[in-house]
Each structure stands twice: as C-alpha cells, then as structure tokens.
Amino acid sequence: MITGRHIKVIGAGNPVRLRSVSGIYDLLGALVTSLNMRALGPPVIYEVEENISRINCEPFEDEGGVTGVVILSTSHCAIHTWPLTSKFVLDVFSCRKFDPAIVARLVSEAFETWRLRVSDLSQALTLPDDPEPVRDLDVNLNLASAMNGNAAHRATPGSKSGRGARAKKARGEPRLAPHPAGDS
C-alpha cells in the first residue's frame, strides 16, 4: 500500500473568484501552508483563454477558466475552474496524511461555494496484493462554520437527487455536515 491521501474536490462557487488568477495562486499557497506541505516552487497558474490565444488557436467551446498546479515534495495540488458554469475541480495528493476538512474549508472560503463534494480516492492507492486494504474514510466535514452561516451556501449535494447518506456510504464518500439552514 502507498501511504498518504488523495482527495478530489468538486464544487460550484462565485464565478468572479473562479476567474481570479491571483485568488487561485493564493489558494494553492494556503493549501501548502495549512496542510504543512513543502512546495518545490511557486504555484504555476494559467488563464486558459489568454494562453490559448498566445499559441494562435481557437479555444474549444468549453475551454476557459484558470488552471493551476503546485508541485509538492510529496506530490501535487492541481485545480481547474470553469467560471462560465461556476464549477471547479481540485485534486490534492500527498504521500503524507492530511485533513480533508482543511482543504474543504479553504476552498469554500476562496470560492464562496454553494455546492461542494469531497471524495477520498485513497483506496485507489492499494494494490491488489496489499495485505491491508485501505478503508474508506468516514469524515464529518462541518463546513457551515467556515461559511459564516451564509444561507446561500450549500455544503452538501441535494439529497433530493437520490444522493442520500446510504448511497454515499456505499460509494465510500465522506459525509458532509448538513447546512444549518436545512433542506439538504
């Protein structure tokens, strides 16, 4: 078994913040510091449309947003945003253990998220012949306090879509705390 943690964070948030190159640079730096990791250099950030125009290409219709990566001594943090749809995906992998709740809090604050899903992919670090399989993580991420009680935020996917606690547990997803305003 490879030790460490690999999480994927997907969500929806403020499109202005998802378009901010400096904001994403700061988020990647804050992740490194808050997770007590070591960056091998500064974050590398690309504003996709600007960089596509530099290579004299027409962008694909779904191309845009900001892509950033910071290489860690223990792996990486990478992000891509789609401001036109208010969506983003963040990947954090390290051979050191870290707390996914810290990542969720920082991302929620940086993007003013109203939807957020944190998936632990650490079980994928197990080889078929490993003697001790990785157990799914059961995390209770309380994002409500990180969101300053803003009723517009939604920390969990809506249960009305058939994504109830039992379905999440079966898929090995961490549980997220319900929003204090209810209806999730």
Side-chain angles (χ1 to χ4, degrees):
M1 176 178 90
I2 299 170
T3 60
R5 174 149 296 146
H6 188 185
I7 65 167
K8 185 81 63 180
V9 181
I10 62 172
N14 181 330
V16 172
R17 290 189 174 206
L18 293 171
R19 190 175 288 113
S20 172
V21 170
S22 63
I24 292 169
Y25 184 95
D26 291 345
L27 171 63
L28 291 173
L31 285 167
V32 170
T33 301
S34 298
L35 297 175
N36 200 24
M37 303 291 182
R38 274 188 229 135
L40 297 180
V44 177
I45 310 293
Y46 293 96
E47 197 289 327
V48 175
E49 289 178 81
E50 178 182 316
N51 284 275
I52 289 292
S53 68
R54 286 184 188 159
I55 59 173
N56 295 320
C57 291
E58 287 294 320
F60 297 123
E61 65 184 51
D62 61 346
E63 214 165 28
V66 178
T67 295
V69 64
V70 61
I71 306 302
L72 307 172
S73 62
T74 56
S75 198
H76 71 273
C77 298
I79 188 165
H80 188 76
T81 69
W82 294 270
L84 291 175
T85 60
S86 299
K87 304 274 176 60
F88 66 90
V89 175
L90 172 71
D91 186 68
V92 181
F93 174 60
S94 176
C95 56
R96 295 184 67 210
K97 297 283 186 184
F98 61 90
D99 186 354
I102 294 171
V103 177
R105 180 183 53 80
L106 290 172
V107 169
S108 291
E109 290 170 359
F111 296 142
E112 299 177 340
T113 60
W114 60 83
R115 291 181 63 207
L116 189 70
R117 179 177 178 186
V118 178
S119 299
D120 191 339
L121 307 176
S122 299
Q123 71 275 5
L125 303 176
T126 304
L127 295 170
D129 59 347
D130 282 344
E132 294 182 34
V134 175
R135 294 191 183 117
D136 289 340
L137 183 64
D138 187 14
V139 174
N140 185 4
L141 300 177
N142 187 352
L143 300 179
S145 62
M147 294 182 225
N148 298 319
N150 185 339
H153 290 92
R154 294 291 176 256
T156 60
S159 59
K160 295 173 186 159
S161 66
R163 291 186 178 159
R166 276 186 266 170
K168 286 182 186 179
K169 188 173 183 179
R171 289 191 303 266
E173 296 175 20
R175 292 185 311 217
L176 298 176
H179 189 274
D183 84 1
S184 59

